Amino acid sequence: MVAFPSSTPPPPTVDPIGDGTISAVHHDILQNHILNRLDGPTLAAVACASSELHGLSTEDKLWQKICIDTWPSINDPLTSSIISTFPSGHRSFFSDSYPLLHHHRHSSHILERPSPETTELISAVDIFYQNFPIFSKVEETETESGWFMSSPFRVDLIEPNKDFVPSGIPQASENDSRLKQVEQNLTLSWILIDPKQKRAVNISSHRAVSVQRHWLTGEVQAKFATILAGDEEKGSEREYVQFEVVVTCGGKEGGEIHVRDVSMVMEDMEGKTLTGKESLVILQEAMERGERRKGKSGKEGKERFKEFLERRKERKERIQRREKILDWVCIASGISSFMAFWSYILFQ
């Protein structure tokens, strides 16, 4: 042990029960000056540190602020009233919506199951440019009518007669630079909320998996996609579906970026849009048992999307080969029948 001279005061000690512990900090200071500055994942981690911090970190007002800062669209009165009915309010909503959906595997023959008792779906959509919100909207979709159940499931957020939504973001002058500008800076969150089940799921890939220029209008189309995998059903072939969100951006050269269209569909491996009934079953499965990932890496989403396109291409080529073989079989059968008929006539 080191002995200190009598003229030198000993170093200060920390009383483990006194002022040196987190318990000594007033609750108001913790909540209003420390905890309210944390993001969602950090606040969730703090809640695991002690029972006292857990009680302070689960206050709904803290999670409400985090949710609104993360997704401005949920500040809408409709979504606010729905989220208040979730088991743990905004904390439950954040837990459902922040982790992006990840390669979820649904059960065999899932599309044959009865549709869940869902009366409506609420879309809470936010588009960001360099993490600054440029578009937010809440859209209600009824799910009870026969028209919805049997029709292709599609949600359009901008009315056809509305030309565009201004963003205030100047666009690059060169065409190639515009594509790169959108790809690097545009992000999207599309949360689907089931008010009856009190669950939510984020179906966006966060970053665009593909950015292209429309061949006719010249507008930039950014595609966001999440791929869901099903069980093996036929041999070694595995079924996949994708949530596809397309954001169309335009604007005059030298002007600002305009958001002209935002739409979402769900497609299968053959490129067919799923019906409302089929989509509801998959959405419920994703909300209940979907695997999730915490990261928001655009590279990961692009790899899955690329793999999905490759599988779709392989299936299309396989179907074409099968149809070509059937065509040749039909032609050969027809020729054989024709030759047999004339042989019969000639030898009579």
Side-chain angles (χ1 to χ4, degrees), residues 123 125 127 134-139 154-167 188 190 219 245-250 257-264:
S123 296
V125 184
I127 301 176
I134 62 173
F135 177 89
S136 295
K137 187 171 183 180
V138 173
E139 183 78 10
R154 179 184 176 93
V155 180
D156 293 286
L157 297 185
I158 298 181
E159 300 175 6
N161 59 351
K162 192 169 185 179
D163 293 333
F164 58 84
V165 175
S167 68
L188 174 137
W190 190 307
E219 295 173 330
V245 179
V246 177
V247 178
T248 303
C249 301
I257 294 176
H258 294 160
V259 180
R260 297 190 178 275
D261 181 62
V262 184
S263 61
M264 182 272 289

Side-chain angles (χ1 to χ4, degrees), residues 78 118 158 174 248:
L78 174 63
T118 300
I158 298 181
E174 298 181 1
T248 303

Side-chain angles (χ1 to χ4, degrees), residues 299-311:
K299 184 178 180 180
E300 187 178 2
K302 286 184 179 180
E303 290 297 324
R304 288 202 178 90
F305 180 66
K306 182 179 179 180
E307 180 183 355
F308 177 79
L309 293 183
E310 289 294 329
R311 291 179 178 271

Side-chain angles (χ1 to χ4, degrees), residues 90-101:
H90 286 82
R91 186 160 61 96
S92 293
F93 179 80
F94 186 89
S95 177
D96 282 350
S97 306
Y98 179 77
L100 302 178
L101 200 58

